[in-house]
Each structure stands twice: as C-alpha cells, then as structure tokens.
Amino acid sequence: MSTPYPFTAVVGQTDLRLALLLNAVSPAVGGVLVRGEKGTAKSTAVRALTALLPQVDVVPGCRFSCAPAAPDPGCPDGPHEAGTAAERPARMVELPVGASEDRLVGALDIERALAEGVKAFEPGLLADAHRGILYVDEVNLLHDHLVDVLLDAAAMGASYVEREGVSVRHAARFLLVGTMNPEEGELRPQLLDRFGLTVEVAASREPEQRVEVVRRRLAYEDDPAAFATRWAADEAEVRERVVAARALLPRVVLGDRALLMIAATCAGFEVDGMRADIVMARTATALAAWAGRTAVRKEDVRQAALLALPHRRRRNPFDAPGLDEDRLDEILDRFEDDEPEPEPEPDPDPEPQGPDDGGDGPDGGGPDGGGTPEGNGPEDTAEEPPAPEAAPEAEPERHPEREPEPARGEAPPSPESAGPQEGPLQAAVPAADPFRTRMFSVPGLGDGAAGRRSRARTAHGRTVGAQRPRGQLTKLHLAATVHAAAPHQRARGRSGPGLVVRKDDLRQASREGREGNLVLFVVDASGSMAARQRMGAVKGAVLSLLLDAYQRRDKVGLITFRGAAAELALPPTSSVDAAAARMEKLPTGGRTPLAAGLLKAREVLRVEKLRDPSRRPLLVVVTDGRATSAGAVGGDPRALAARSARLLHAEGVASVVVDCESGHVRLGLAAALAADLGGPAVTLDGLRADALAGLVKNVRTSVSSPSHRKAA
C-alpha cells in the first residue's frame, strides 16, 4: 500500500481542513461537500484525513463492523458473543461515479431466497464504510437515485435493502465527504441541504504559495516514506487532539444565548427548513470542543454559519453559493459580549508548524496541488454570480451598419447588398425574467441516463414486461419467474409446498421511466436579433429553457452564430449554470450565417454521438429565421440553410424552432426553417407552460411522420 500524503502537509486550505476535522470530532455534523476547481487538493485532503481517525474496535469476523461494547441487535451477522473484540484502522471507502445501486447498498441472492428461504446478503459499500469515511468524488455526477439512497442512509444511520419481500437492515454510520467541480454541473438544492457543511476552494494566485505547493509535492513523490516521517509528529499531535475533542464533546454546553444567535442567523438569511439550525448547533458545539472549551461562544456560531449556510442560500440553479459576512456580523452584533475573559486555549488552526515552513504555508499541496490563502471563507471563493443579477445596461446605440428590418413583403437582403460581413458588436443586454416552459421531448423509446424528459428503458420506473437477466439480477419480476418455473416442478422432483426455482427461471423486470437528453441550443446573435430590443426577451426564453433542462437532468450545449461564422460557446456539459452565464454575456451584431449555425450543430451532435451513444439529442434553434450570410461556404444563404436543416431532419434529430420574429409584419421564415427541420415552430409567448397545449404532441408527430421516416 502506498504511503498517503500527510494531512498536516496540506498547507493553507484552512476552511477545508477545519470542516473535515469538525466532522471527525462529531460525525453528527452531517458530512462535508467540497466545491472547487480541479487541482485544489480536494481529494488529497480527504484521503489524508483517514490517518488522523482513531482506531476502531470491532467484533471479529463481523462484516458490518459492529462495536463489541454495543453490537447492532439487527446485524445480519449477529447475534454476537460478548467479550470478543479486535482493533483495526478506520476505513475510507470510495464510491465510484459509475457504481450500481447493488454495489452501494449490497445485494441479495434472490435465487437462494426463493429456493431455500435464506437471506444470502452480500454487503455493499455502505457496510464497508460503517464507522469510517465514505468518500464520493464528483458527487454531482452520481445518478439521482444513488444520491438519494446515500443521503438517506447518512441521515438515518442505517441501510435498508429490500427485494421482493426479502429485507435486510444494517447500521451505516459514516463521515460523508463529497467533492465536486461546479463547472461540471450542480447538485439539486434539496440534496445540497443534506450535506452538513460546504467549503469553497480555489488555487492560490500568489507565486510564492504555488512554489511551496510544487516543492512539497515533488518532495513527496521523490520519497513518500521519508516525507511522511517528517510530518509524523504533527500527524500524531492532530490525532491526539481529535481524540481529546471527541472526549470533551459530551460536556460542551450549548446555552440559550447561543441557540438564539443560531436561530436569528438562520432566520435572518431566510434559510428554508430547520436542518440549518440543527447543523449549526452541532458545528458550533464541535468547534468549542476542538478549541478545548466547554461553552459555545459567538465566534463559534459565526464560524458555524460560514460553513453551514452558504449552500443553503441557493434559490435557483443559477445562484452561486455564498454568504454576506457583513450581514452575518450585523445579526450577531445584536447579542452583546457578556462572557468572561477566556482562558488561554490551543490554537484552533489545525495546521501545526511543519518542518518545511515557519508559519502557515501556501495553499494546496499533495497530489492535487493548489489551495486558497488562509482566512478565505466560502464567500471569498464563490463563483461569480450569473448575469441575471447584473444591473441593466444602457440601451445599445443604433448603427447604420447594422442589418435593418426589411420592409413589408421585402425579402432579406442578399450578401452582395447587405453591406460588410461583420457588423459592430452591440453591448450585451440583460435577460428578462425566466418563466416555466412547456416540456419538449424526443420521440420514441431511448436507453439514456436517467432523467425527466423523454421516455426510456431505465432501472427505475413502472414495470412494463420481463426478460432474462443480463448479468446480476437486480429487479426480479416475480410473476414471470413463477410462470417460468411452474411447468418444471414434477420433473424437478418437487415433493413439498415450496417452489423449485433454478437460475434459468429467473426473470428481470423491464421498466420504463424517463431519460435526460442532450439539449443543444443554437442561438442567433446577429444584428437583426437586437432590433426592437428583442434580445432581452430572447435571453429570458433561453434561460427558461435552461432552467427546464436543469430540472430534467439534461446535458446542454450552446452554439451562437453571427457575422460570417458559428461558434461553440459551450461544449455539451451538465453545468447548466455555465450555459446561463455564457448566454447572459452574449453580445449581438453582424449578419446572420444561419447555415453555419446548423452545420456546427450537426458537427457537435456527430461527435457527441460517438462519446455518448445512448444520450439522444434535442435541437433548439432560437432565431427569426433570416439567413443573410453563407459564411465561408458561399452560395445562396437561404438555400444553404434549408439544405443544412434537411440534413439534420434526415438524420433523425428532434428539433424545435423558437421564432423570435416580432412586429406587425412577419415573414414566416422561422416556420419555413422548422418545416425543413421536421419540428414545430413556437413563438416566444408560446414557450410558456400555459400556452400551446399541443406543443409536445406536435414535436412527436412531426418527427415521427411518414416523410421523416422515409428521409431517415
């Protein structure tokens, strides 16, 4: 086994290290969610924490790590004999992103359960993590049902496995730690709330600090054992302090004054529910124990708020987590400091003076590098708030070079008569308020990742049939299994009331649910879209569709086109808020290379098909339908755009055109584009959920029409 990087050698990252140690002192805090960019020592710090946890006393031979002093009465390996005990190090169990539900909670041998009536249970990762650490890297990429199971077990301290009336329960109390990169997508707010604490981390921008990160990393790689030896004394010191804080924790007093401060803080920040109050109370108590005190003080409440509240402040997926420290101090300053002078106490900073530096060193270190300067809280490293919160900018000036609105009955200008290919950029305008949109879906039955948009064959959903299992049986179809086994009972020598079941008789339930799709936005950013201040309404519509994609667990991509070319502004990603930020900052101007936008969409969809063949696409084209530039290809812009649209239609891509044309004179160009794409055209007003009740039916009808099948 390789020598792990020492926890005390991870310099800086004060909030991250403190949050981890507080959970080590009091697992009831509820775990830690670490958010930050790649290469910021997230995984390194979590893996290094294991060495600081005390040894665990277990019942010998128990697969569920029962404590000898108080064994679980419902343990599947019990009952246990009193007086037997063994000691082992605390474990850190990693949950892979692609793990199955059976790997997480354990699996029952259904064949033995039916044929022999015994509970043959193979423990999962929750059992392995009992009384240790369960670490989920990239927790935001886990399937929703796995996250639900995981957080329910963490909240209840037990795991329940039920398969066709056969159930097993075992204890599952662990320190839950998740890490994530917000650029790859956010967790749902209700799931964020289930993590006790959250920490924002970012790499230091100070050259001296980054140098120290590299120095320590290289020293570790040259000789891991020697590097660990240099930090052994510091590791032992922190380990002893964790043990002492655990012993002191039951004696810490959380007075009425501290409770009032906690309640006032949560109420002042309008936090939903009561979980935040409970987490803050447990965190403040752990902070006092870590500092060697038996009373909770105002500074404990303040630090608890900085760790427990930022991720509970989100109201929609476009909000960045954060906490206004000035507002926090204003609330806490209402409570006077009437406490006696404190006695001298240990430094609450968990990082001791290491052999490599004389004080608090630079941030990061370890295999992942990087870190944040000491003293930074979550509010200092939070993501930049998305553009919907920005103040409206001045109305852009009108330029004579910009493409004018055509007069009634006039065709769009040709490339030769429309002036220069590149018009001046107009300042980005703020988006209108988002609204609830109608639901668009891809026709047919897919096999993509679980989501909430289009019909698909999934592991969870309503049962629609049965089939022979492929690999491990997970969802038994009992009636089909009995039906398969019944004709062979006499030949198998059945003599009693039981049913003789063999492996070939087992049937897996076929289930139908919903999948997430790839929603690719192709947005017209040409000068005509800025006319009559339409772009604010267009951006609001796209943000509304992005919000819908977030709620339905889709991947999203963003293509914009203007001037003479199209640009992939955001490659397909699960980070819907990243797409919203790009959309909000989108400027307009220039001519309209509609064909270039459609060709770019075709190219992106082809590449994504190779990367993720099971995820079906939905193309959303946001335009007024004009085509005034053929880009680098040359030729008639409108004919080229129509040809590109028909190619997408022939390849079976489900499409929707959002018609942005406004005014009393309408040319119907977006509707003609929609006909070429084989999908419906809907106006900006028609996107709203209370309009166009037959919109989804139109999508399905148009895409699955006989002409579409013939073209495909």
Side-chain angles (χ1 to χ4, degrees), residues 421 520-524 559-568 591-604 619 621 626-634 636-645 648 673:
Q421 287 278 40
L520 183 61
F521 292 90
V522 181
V523 180
D524 186 348
I559 294 172
T560 64
F561 59 92
R562 62 168 297 275
E567 175 190 2
L568 180 59
R591 303 179 66 183
T592 313
L594 177 57
L598 297 176
L599 290 173
K600 174 65 75 172
R602 188 165 174 250
E603 176 187 344
V604 171
L619 185 67
V621 184
R626 300 181 185 186
T628 61
S629 172
V633 179
D636 179 29
R638 296 184 62 183
L640 186 58
R643 189 180 312 118
S644 302
L648 287 164
L673 175 64

Side-chain angles (χ1 to χ4, degrees), residues 45-64:
V46 174
R47 294 188 175 98
L49 179 68
T50 311
L52 302 180
L53 298 181
Q55 295 276 315
V56 178
D57 292 328
V58 297
V59 174
C62 178
R63 299 174 296 167
F64 302 88

Side-chain angles (χ1 to χ4, degrees), residues 436-454:
R436 188 167 65 91
T437 67
R438 296 207 60 85
M439 199 270 281
F440 300 88
S441 64
V442 179
L445 194 64
D447 292 287
R452 299 183 178 181
R453 184 171 296 278
S454 304

Side-chain angles (χ1 to χ4, degrees), residues 294-308:
T294 57
V296 174
R297 296 178 180 169
K298 181 189 292 186
E299 59 264 30
D300 299 326
V301 174
R302 186 182 191 279
Q303 183 63 56
L306 293 175
L307 294 173

Side-chain angles (χ1 to χ4, degrees), residues 405 532 534 660-666:
E405 292 276 351
R532 301 180 185 175
R534 277 184 288 169
C660 302
E661 191 173 25
S662 62
H664 299 292
V665 178
R666 293 179 177 269

Side-chain angles (χ1 to χ4, degrees), residues 328-358:
L328 175 61
D329 291 335
E330 179 184 337
I331 294 172
L332 294 180
D333 285 344
R334 301 171 189 169
F335 299 86
E336 296 181 359
D337 291 320
D338 54 357
E339 300 164 341
E341 285 295 322
E343 299 178 3
E345 55 194 45
D347 184 359
D349 186 352
E351 182 180 16
Q353 303 298 322
D356 284 359
D357 57 355

Side-chain angles (χ1 to χ4, degrees), residues 183-186 318 453 516-522 542-559 568-583 604-605 608 611-612 615-620:
E183 294 177 357
E184 297 172 342
E186 286 284 0
F318 305 147
R453 184 171 296 278
N517 297 112
L518 167 59
V519 182
L520 183 61
F521 292 90
V522 181
V542 176
L543 287 178
S544 303
L545 291 167
L546 284 170
L547 180 60
D548 181 70
Y550 167 84
Q551 294 168 341
R552 301 189 187 281
R553 312 294 178 261
D554 295 315
K555 290 180 68 174
V556 296
L558 176 63
I559 294 172
L568 180 59
L570 184 71
T573 176
S574 298
S575 181
V576 174
D577 51 341
R582 301 286 176 90
M583 186 64 212
V604 171
L605 293 179
E608 285 302 307
R611 292 177 178 170
D612 190 357
R615 190 178 288 270
R616 298 185 295 162
L618 175 64
L619 185 67
V620 180

Side-chain angles (χ1 to χ4, degrees), residues 99-354:
S100 66
E101 184 176 349
D102 282 346
R103 183 70 186 99
L104 176 61
V105 301
L108 284 170
D109 190 331
I110 300 296
E111 183 178 1
R112 290 190 62 193
L114 291 176
E116 304 173 27
V118 298
K119 295 180 181 178
F121 180 67
E122 183 66 28
L125 295 177
L126 292 179
D128 293 341
H130 180 45
R131 304 176 68 195
I133 300 175
L134 182 61
Y135 172 48
V136 189
D137 194 13
E138 306 296 349
V139 64
N140 51 326
L141 302 183
L142 275 181
H143 289 308
D144 285 348
H145 71 280
L146 286 183
V147 177
D148 290 337
V149 170
L150 177 65
L151 295 179
D152 284 343
M156 295 186 297
S159 174
Y160 295 85
V161 184
E162 298 195 11
R163 295 287 188 272
E164 306 300 335
V166 181
S167 62
V168 172
R169 174 211 165 274
H170 65 82
R173 291 182 294 275
F174 47 81
L175 168 56
L176 176 63
V177 182
T179 57
M180 60 175 283
N181 184 347
E183 294 177 357
E184 297 172 342
E186 286 284 0
L187 279 174
R188 290 177 287 163
Q190 59 268 40
L191 297 184
L192 280 172
D193 186 53
R194 300 296 290 272
F195 282 93
L197 309 179
T198 187
V199 177
E200 293 277 346
V201 296
S204 171
R205 299 299 184 259
E206 293 295 329
E208 293 81 4
Q209 296 177 348
R210 298 174 76 95
V211 165
E212 184 62 24
V213 169
V214 176
R215 182 182 293 119
R216 293 193 182 188
R217 174 59 179 167
L218 294 179
Y220 171 75
E221 289 183 345
D222 288 343
D223 192 341
F227 186 81
T229 300
R230 294 166 61 190
W231 292 90
D234 301 313
E235 292 280 287
E237 180 183 340
V238 176
R239 189 181 304 111
E240 292 171 2
R241 191 171 171 188
V242 169
V243 173
R246 281 189 173 188
L248 182 62
L249 186 65
R251 294 187 282 132
V252 175
V253 177
L254 182 66
D256 290 343
R257 180 173 175 275
L259 283 172
L260 281 173
M261 285 190 284
I262 291 171
T265 301
C266 293
F269 282 102
E270 300 180 350
V271 177
D272 295 335
M274 295 299 299
R275 184 173 284 117
D277 303 64
I278 297 171
V279 171
M280 276 190 63
R282 291 171 174 167
T283 304
T285 303
L287 280 162
W290 177 249
R293 289 186 269 101
T294 57
V296 174
R297 296 178 180 169
K298 181 189 292 186
E299 59 264 30
D300 299 326
V301 174
R302 186 182 191 279
Q303 183 63 56
L306 293 175
L307 294 173
L309 296 187
H311 60 302
R312 295 183 168 91
R313 290 280 297 146
R314 297 186 72 202
R315 289 294 182 267
N316 65 66
F318 305 147
D319 291 339
L323 203 66
D324 184 349
E325 286 200 56
D326 292 336
R327 172 65 175 155
L328 175 61
D329 291 335
E330 179 184 337
I331 294 172
L332 294 180
D333 285 344
R334 301 171 189 169
F335 299 86
E336 296 181 359
D337 291 320
D338 54 357
E339 300 164 341
E341 285 295 322
E343 299 178 3
E345 55 194 45
D347 184 359
D349 186 352
E351 182 180 16
Q353 303 298 322

